[in-house]
Every structure is written in C-alpha cells, then in structure tokens.
Amino acid sequence: MKIAVIGAGFAGIASAKVLTELGHDVTVYEKAPDVGGVWSRTRRYPGLTTQNNKDSYTLSDLRMPKVFPEWLSGKQVQTYLEMYVEKFELAPMIRLDTEVLSAQPAGGGGWALTSRATTGDETTEHYDHLTVASGVFSEPFAPAYDGVDDLEAAGGSILAASELHDLEAVKGKDVVVVGYGKSACDVAVEIAKEAASTTVVARQLLWKMPRKIKGVLNYKVLLLTRMGEGLFPYQTVRGPEKVLHAGGSKMASSMVGSVESVTSGQLKLKKLGLLPKGQFTDIARSTVSLATEGFFEGVEAGDIVVERDTEIAAFVVKDGKPYAELTNGRALPADVVVTATGFKQELPFFSAEIQDQLTDDNGDYELYRQILPLSVKDLTFAGYNSSFFSPLSAEMSAVWIGSYLGGGHQVPPVEEMADHVANRLAWMRERTDGHHARGTNIIPFSMHNIDEVLGDVGLDVSKRTKAAQWLLPINPKAYASVTPRLVEKLAARS
C-alpha cells in the first residue's frame, strides 16, 4: 500500500519503520525542519528534559547512547531520533519542512493530501491509507486573556513555553509563568537564573514525584513497573491487581499513602505552602509530573514565587508598565508572560465534517485501541496513546496498524467497538475529571494499553517477561522481537 504518515516524532518515525518493514510504500510529512516532534529544535525551551529515565524512553530496537545521562535533555532526545532515522535508513521517505494543508477522502478510497513545502510549492498526492502521527502535543493551548493588547503596547510580551528558545528574552525582566506542570516548573527554574523576578501562577497545584525518593530510591522502581501501574485501579481489575485492590484497595492505598508522606516531607511542601489539595493518588489523573530539579529549592530561596489557586484575570498598565492582575486580588509586574498551559489536540488538515466523525459530543476522540476511527475509512492514528512509555506505546500502535492492514487480525463489529469506546471514554472522563487530553492520555495505564494492542495482534511478550516487569522497570528492548515476528506472520499468510 501507499501510505502517508503525518508527523515525524516518535510515533511517525516508528510507524515509518514498522510499515516499511511490512512492505508498504511510506511517505512521512513533517512541517518542522527536523525530526523530533515535541523534541524538535523549533520547540525546545530552556530546561526541557524527559520525565523518564533514558532506558525506558526509547523505541524497542535502539538503545540510548551510554554517554547520555539518565534524564535526557530535549536535544539528546532529538539526537536519538536522528540516530534512529539513520540506522534504519528512513531519511529518503521523510519530507521535512513540508506541512499538510488538507487531507480529504478520495473517490474510490484512500486520501488526497495537499501539502506545502517551505519553498511555497503546493502538491496534491493520493495515498491508499493515512496514519496520523502528528501528536497530542502539537499545538500549544493559550488561554484567552483580557488586556493582551495593553500588555504588548506597554512593551510586554506573551508566548508559549515551546516558543521560548533562549533566555535573552527574559534577562533582567519580571516574568510570569502560567501553569504548574513539568514544563512550567522546568522553564521557571531556568528563567529564574536570568530574570529580575519569576512568579509561577498555578490555577491548581499538582502532586510531584521526586526523581529519587529520599535521594536514594529511583522513582522508576515505584512507577515504571507493572506493580506501580497496578496501584491504580484499571477499568477492569484482573490477575495480581485483585490482591492490591481487595478490600476497597486498602493495600494499594497504604502503599501510595506512604509515598505521599515521604514525598511531602522531602520536597518540604507544607513548609513552602505548596501541599496540593486532595491525595497523592490524584497524580494518576493524567497529571503525573516529576519534580523539577531546583524548583522547590528556588521557591525556598525566594528566587521563584508561586501564586497558588489563582489565575490571571486581565493584563493592565500601571505607570507605563505591564501588570498581570490575578483573581486573588494581587497584581504582578509582567514584562514577559510564559504560558505552559497544555496543548490542543486538533487536526487542522481535516475538514470540520471529518473531525465531527472522529469525536463524540464531548469532543473526545472515538478511537478503538486509541488507533482506529469508528466510521472514517482508510485512516489510523499512532501515538494517540500518550503514556509513561510514549515511544513504546506509539511503536506498538504501529505494529497494530501493520497487522490490521495486512489482515493479521480482525476487529470487532462497529457496534461492539463503539460500545467499547464509549464505555472507556466515560470511565476516563470520570477518573480524570475530564483531564484526559480528549481521550488520548492513558496515564498511568501504559502497559495495560500495550497488552491490549498486542493481545489483538497475537504477538504479546511472554508471561515470564511480564512477571519480571512487575518488579523491574519496563525495558522497551523486551519488545524488539514483535515487529520481526509480525513480518514472519504476515509473510506466512501470503
């Protein structure tokens, strides 16, 4: 088949590699000048690092270089993807600096893709199948504030974290960072090194997990295992998880409560006035975030101020200087405002009609296994299962797509898939209070999703491997044989 892939981040690169190995003719479209997606040099902000340790944040068939540190910088992740492209000779099929303007169903099947290169040339080509791998973090979400014109007229500026590429823009200035996720805290630490003042405005405090508990126990041993994932009740609790959640989840609650107590003390949350509301189990509501090195130390030293449980109401000008007025009544000098407020899960190359077919009444994507639309033909999604192990999750989605296109497995009737998707989305909305990135964020149930995907394909890893993953951090290398086995399986069918 002639297949188009939109996006050259982890999901797009993995899809290109898997589908090419299965004999398909693949073209990857990427509007940035380099591969990497969120790790592209066009989107990296100062302080950008991974939340995962390097051994768990890879594709299955290429390890991170040994010289890389345990927690990777954005540049190092992008370098890894370039290494992957070179190793598997993917460069000839990747069109960099080329944006897909529209994707329309073609008469007789397939898709007509209209793209534009940076040269300005537009072309329209036909493909038998389209895989969307543009990512759930492709376009920053910017809150709509009153008074932005006044802010800018007074010399102030407002930009997304991914648009801040160096610290010259904040040197000696009063900076307001909006948000409290990892990106907000990462960039605040770096900004505080150069700015006159750095204030973080947090609508809601999130629980943070230190990289090392008490400076000794690596968090990967707690959360990046099947045991760690099993501490939080899945939609259906099976196997060993029944023990953890027996008697009203007392065992699981006790274990998570212990982590909450230790974490609160280690990060001095009560002393700093930064103890979040709720319980530590809330960390699993698609808001899992590592504590940024230096953030709480910066708060304690006074280099970073956190305005908690408040928002920016409007921007105003006082004595010729821009200020941000907060809903708590305070006013902050605001020469530069950096928003780290999440991303929009939008697909601008699709018509409104197609987007309506892809989503439910809540605007959530109706994708079976986070991959297959219910009613739009010749279309799949890769990487719409954002997880603790996003590269591996995306790669296994590509395996599912390859198996599906090659007849390696069958999907249930549309009515059955629709019921499954509806029930799953309702569960996701309830457990996350709606914060599930329009149905695309599956944290913390990364391995559950991978198990389901590979269960469909019939190429899951061994029970012995899964048993080891209960206590040991997940190693993507354990899944390196999946694609070769799929190649053999489909070859035997032909």
Side-chain angles (χ1 to χ4, degrees):
M1 298 179 68
K2 187 179 179 182
I3 300 176
V5 176
I6 300 179
F10 271 107
I13 295 303
S15 296
K17 191 260 185 182
V18 171
L19 295 174
T20 299
E21 288 197 356
L22 293 172
H24 298 291
D25 177 10
V26 179
T27 300
V28 181
Y29 291 85
E30 173 53 61
K31 65 181 179 180
D34 55 3
V35 299
V38 295
W39 308 104
S40 163
R41 66 176 182 269
T42 63
R43 300 184 59 185
R44 293 198 297 262
Y45 55 82
L48 174 62
T49 62
T50 60
Q51 295 207 93
N52 292 57
N53 64 306
K54 69 176 183 180
D55 292 334
S56 65
Y57 201 73
T58 70
L59 296 166
S60 70
D61 43 13
L62 181 64
R63 289 185 171 183
M64 286 284 176
K66 291 183 179 180
V67 295
F68 281 6
E70 185 164 18
W71 279 276
L72 306 159
S73 70
K75 182 178 181 180
Q76 288 166 334
V77 176
Q78 199 271 335
T79 297
Y80 168 83
L81 278 166
E82 289 183 333
M83 293 169 55
Y84 195 90
V85 168
E86 181 178 2
K87 177 179 178 179
F88 295 106
E89 301 179 344
L90 303 176
M93 66 188 72
I94 302 174
R95 299 184 187 180
L96 299 175
D97 283 318
T98 305
E99 181 179 6
V100 174
L101 301 178
S102 70
Q104 293 290 336
W111 291 83
L113 260 67
T114 300
S115 63
R116 180 174 60 208
T118 52
T119 59
D121 296 332
E122 292 188 13
T123 59
T124 299
E125 298 177 60
H126 178 271
Y127 292 91
D128 301 313
H129 187 85
L130 171 61
T131 295
V132 174
S134 52
V136 300
F137 307 117
S138 56
E139 295 294 333
F141 169 76
Y145 294 121
D146 291 333
V148 172
D149 290 344
D150 294 333
L151 171 85
E152 294 175 342
S157 61
I158 181 169
L159 69 163
S162 58
E163 297 170 331
L164 179 68
H165 303 307
D166 62 66
L167 297 175
E168 279 299 313
V170 300
K171 194 169 186 177
K173 297 184 178 181
D174 294 309
V175 182
V176 175
V177 178
V178 184
Y180 198 69
K182 184 175 181 296
S183 58
C185 296
D186 282 352
V187 78
V189 169
E190 297 302 311
I191 287 172
K193 297 175 182 177
E194 300 290 342
S197 69
T198 304
T199 305
V200 174
V201 176
R203 178 171 57 86
Q204 180 183 9
L205 295 188
L206 307 175
W207 288 97
K208 304 285 186 177
M209 171 73 79
R211 288 179 175 177
K212 291 188 177 180
I213 304 297
K214 291 190 174 180
V216 177
L217 182 63
N218 194 309
Y219 98 104
K220 66 183 181 182
V221 179
L222 295 177
L223 282 186
L224 301 187
T225 64
R226 286 185 181 270
M227 171 70 82
E229 186 170 318
L231 292 175
F232 307 99
Y234 193 51
Q235 189 173 6
T236 301
V237 178
R238 296 190 177 96
E241 294 176 5
K242 289 184 177 180
V243 177
L244 290 172
H245 297 286
S249 300
K250 290 182 179 180
M251 181 182 295
S253 297
S254 176
M255 295 172 70
V256 175
S258 297
V259 177
E260 176 182 331
S261 178
V262 172
T263 295
S264 299
Q266 181 175 333
L267 300 179
K268 303 179 181 178
L269 298 183
K270 288 185 179 180
K271 176 183 176 182
L272 299 177
L274 296 179
L275 190 68
K277 298 177 181 178
Q279 298 177 323
F280 196 75
T281 50
D282 295 339
I283 200 171
R285 293 182 177 177
S286 300
T287 56
V288 175
S289 178
L290 276 189
T292 300
E293 297 293 295
F295 180 79
F296 293 103
E297 295 85 349
V299 174
E300 185 174 26
D303 298 326
I304 301 171
V305 175
V306 178
E307 292 283 350
R308 63 172 294 173
D309 305 321
T310 189
E311 300 178 72
I312 293 176
F315 295 112
V316 297
V317 179
K318 298 181 180 181
D319 299 323
K321 183 176 174 64
Y323 280 78
E325 288 189 337
L326 307 183
T327 54
N328 65 9
R330 296 189 180 94
L332 309 174
D335 297 318
V336 180
V337 179
V338 179
T339 59
T341 46
F343 292 83
K344 297 181 288 186
Q345 287 73 43
E346 294 184 351
L347 304 170
F349 41 81
F350 283 145
S351 66
E353 180 183 1
I354 293 173
Q355 296 203 46
D356 286 344
Q357 292 177 15
L358 293 172
T359 56
D360 64 11
D361 292 340
N362 296 292
D364 297 332
Y365 285 99
E366 296 181 298
L367 303 175
Y368 183 69
R369 297 293 192 235
Q370 315 293 129
I371 299 171
L372 185 67
L374 300 176
S375 60
V376 182
K377 303 298 183 183
D378 303 321
L379 176 66
T380 50
F381 288 73
Y384 274 60
N385 48 356
S386 178
S387 76
F388 276 145
F389 312 101
S390 288
L392 181 62
S393 294
E395 183 182 357
M396 294 305 105
S397 291
V399 166
W400 193 99
I401 293 169
S403 174
Y404 172 71
L405 295 179
H409 72 276
Q410 300 295 318
V411 297
V414 172
E415 295 79 8
E416 186 176 330
M417 288 193 293
D419 287 343
H420 172 87
V421 171
N423 290 333
R424 184 175 180 82
L425 287 173
W427 169 71
M428 292 172 76
R429 280 192 292 270
E430 181 180 3
R431 64 170 295 277
T432 66
D433 293 329
H435 301 294
H436 57 344
R438 297 183 66 185
T440 65
N441 193 324
I442 61 172
I443 288 174
F445 304 110
S446 317
M447 300 312 299
H448 284 78
N449 176 256
I450 289 174
D451 289 347
E452 291 165 352
V453 165
L454 293 184
D456 288 350
V457 176
L459 294 173
D460 206 349
V461 295
S462 68
K463 291 182 179 179
R464 181 176 181 179
T465 296
K466 289 186 177 182
Q469 291 172 343
W470 263 84
L471 296 177
L472 298 177
I474 304 299
N475 185 345
K477 185 181 178 181
Y479 294 81
S481 68
V482 173
T483 297
R485 285 189 286 142
L486 177 60
V487 172
E488 293 178 4
K489 178 181 176 180
L490 295 185
R493 289 176 53 87
S494 61

